[in-house]
Amino acid sequence: MAIESCLLNWGNKRVFTVTVDNASSNDVAISYLKKKINAWGFSILNCKYLHMRCIAHITNLVVVDGMKDGLTPIKKVRDAVRYIRQSPARLQRFKAYCEIEGIQSKSSLCLDVSTRWNSTYLMLSSALKFENAFDRYATIDPYFKIDLQSCEGNEWKSSNNLELSCMGEKMKLKFDKYWGDPDKMNKIIYIIVVVDPRYKLEFMHFALSTVYGKEKGIELAKKVKLFVYELFDDYKRIFQSENANEHIGNVSKSIEDGTKKKPKMRLGHQFMQHKIKIGEAKSKSDLDSYLNEDILVLDGKEDFDILKW
């Protein structure tokens, strides 16, 4: 498998998440990769959160699906630009109308690739600058409107708001397919927010209650807290195991070197033993201490780098 080969070539067996698009074949690939990483002995929670769906890919699917309808305003702009660019004569005439309208722009009309919505944005952005030139062209060239209306019929008369509404409904359906059920999302998305000192669990309560309603939001926030502790405990297990092995190695070396010394019972240690004996010693984990601290409040203009925090 390609991903496995790359990881082995890089000498990297510690993998937290793998981001892939939503092709069904990737589900099989991720399942295979989970087995391999678990066998390597470097998995976190047995690769429970390994599969991360590519957000950029999903966003692209949402937008492209919304723009599929041939009656959308986007297609009208696309057809208008295509008509102008079909011949040098039409393009030259359009440039002349731009001069008459006083339009000064270094950009020119560009036609998009319908499957790449970033190019669609560039097409719309450039066409918007030439709106008055399009109006003049439509007034003088009767074939311009005839050509555009030949596929559309009376749909040109329909409300743009209605068209945009239909587009929005399609995009919402696609959005809900991937993100409509928060319980099916990779919980790492939530955990990333919790470990940001500006937000923590307090923000998760607020955000989830705002998006999904108070009752559902509180339920989700409780689950997120469990996920955070679940992840923390697994890291704790891993590092305790590594530290224990390191400690055993150091002790063995001390014995070999004849330098092993009996630890002294210091006063501080005696005090801690006393607190434990009377039941007053309650140690907090680093995670408990972090979550109990106030959130980090920053000036709106202040830059924040979480890796330097």
Side-chain angles (χ1 to χ4, degrees):
M1 181 185 172
I3 300 178
E4 179 191 6
S5 298
C6 289
L7 292 172
L8 292 175
N9 289 335
W10 297 334
N12 181 15
K13 293 184 176 181
R14 295 176 181 267
V15 181
F16 189 30
T17 61
V18 176
T19 303
V20 293
D21 62 27
N22 300 287
S24 57
S25 58
N26 284 328
D27 293 335
V28 178
I30 292 295
S31 179
Y32 172 85
L33 199 58
K34 283 183 178 180
K35 294 179 182 178
K36 289 297 179 181
I37 295 175
N38 283 327
W40 294 341
F42 294 109
S43 66
I44 302 297
L45 291 172
N46 295 320
C47 295
K48 184 177 181 179
Y49 301 120
L50 181 69
H51 190 180
M52 178 67 74
R53 287 179 168 180
C54 178
I55 294 177
H57 179 72
I58 295 173
T59 303
N60 182 61
L61 291 177
V62 170
V63 176
V64 170
D65 194 65
M67 297 190 301
K68 278 182 180 178
D69 195 337
L71 303 180
T72 64
I74 294 173
K75 185 179 186 302
K76 296 175 183 178
V77 174
R78 182 181 296 125
D79 290 342
V81 173
R82 183 182 290 112
Y83 180 88
I84 299 295
R85 288 168 53 92
Q86 272 180 344
S87 74
R90 291 176 183 173
L91 191 57
Q92 191 62 37
R93 190 184 309 161
F94 185 80
K95 289 180 180 179
Y97 295 157
C98 288
E99 292 181 5
I100 294 174
E101 294 294 338
I103 300 174
Q104 296 180 349
S105 177
K106 294 182 179 180
S107 62
S108 59
L109 291 177
C110 59
L111 196 61
D112 71 330
V113 179
S114 58
T115 56
R116 298 178 59 186
W117 57 274
N118 58 323
S119 69
T120 302
Y121 168 79
L122 295 175
M123 178 190 71
L124 296 174
S125 180
S126 63
L128 186 62
K129 301 174 184 177
F130 302 105
E131 182 177 359
N132 292 337
F134 276 114
D135 288 340
R136 180 174 286 276
Y137 201 108
T139 301
I140 298 175
D141 184 351
Y143 295 103
F144 181 57
K145 278 189 176 181
I146 293 174
D147 184 88
L148 297 185
Q149 289 178 344
S150 60
C151 305
E152 314 263 349
N154 293 326
E155 295 299 333
W156 273 76
K157 299 177 182 179
S158 63
S159 168
N160 284 341
N161 289 334
L162 179 61
E163 290 178 344
L164 290 175
S165 176
C166 293
M167 183 191 302
E169 288 180 6
K170 288 187 174 183
M171 296 173 74
K172 184 64 166 58
L173 288 174
K174 182 71 71 172
F175 178 92
D176 288 342
K177 180 180 179 180
Y178 298 106
W179 287 323
D181 186 353
D183 289 316
K184 294 182 180 180
M185 294 168 61
N186 191 324
K187 304 307 181 294
I188 297 301
I189 295 176
Y190 301 128
I191 294 174
I192 288 172
V193 178
V194 175
V195 296
D196 189 316
R198 297 168 296 176
Y199 304 118
K200 301 190 180 183
L201 283 172
E202 185 179 346
F203 174 80
M204 291 306 305
H205 276 279
F206 174 81
L208 293 172
S209 297
T210 301
V211 175
Y212 299 107
K214 186 175 181 180
E215 184 176 349
K216 181 66 174 178
I218 293 175
E219 177 190 343
L220 287 171
K222 289 180 179 178
K223 290 182 179 179
V224 171
K225 185 174 182 179
L226 291 176
F227 298 142
V228 173
Y229 275 91
E230 181 184 30
L231 187 62
F232 176 81
D233 289 340
D234 204 47
Y235 270 108
K236 183 179 177 181
R237 173 189 60 79
I238 293 171
F239 284 104
Q240 281 181 339
S241 176
E242 291 180 352
N243 291 336
N245 291 333
E246 183 180 351
H247 176 69
I248 292 171
N250 291 336
V251 171
S252 299
K253 189 175 184 302
S254 298
I255 294 173
E256 291 172 4
D257 296 340
T259 58
K260 183 181 179 184
K261 296 181 180 178
K262 186 177 181 180
K264 295 180 180 179
M265 185 67 74
R266 297 183 178 179
L267 191 60
H269 182 71
Q270 293 177 6
F271 172 72
M272 184 55 66
Q273 291 298 317
H274 169 70
K275 296 287 286 185
I276 294 174
K277 186 176 181 180
I278 64 177
E280 293 183 0
K282 295 181 180 179
S283 61
K284 286 186 177 180
S285 68
D286 291 339
L287 180 58
D288 290 323
S289 299
Y290 165 78
L291 293 176
N292 289 330
E293 292 174 353
D294 292 335
I295 62 171
L296 183 64
V297 180
L298 299 175
D299 189 316
K301 299 178 181 179
E302 187 177 352
D303 292 330
F304 177 71
D305 186 345
I306 193 170
L307 296 181
K308 294 180 179 178
W309 175 74

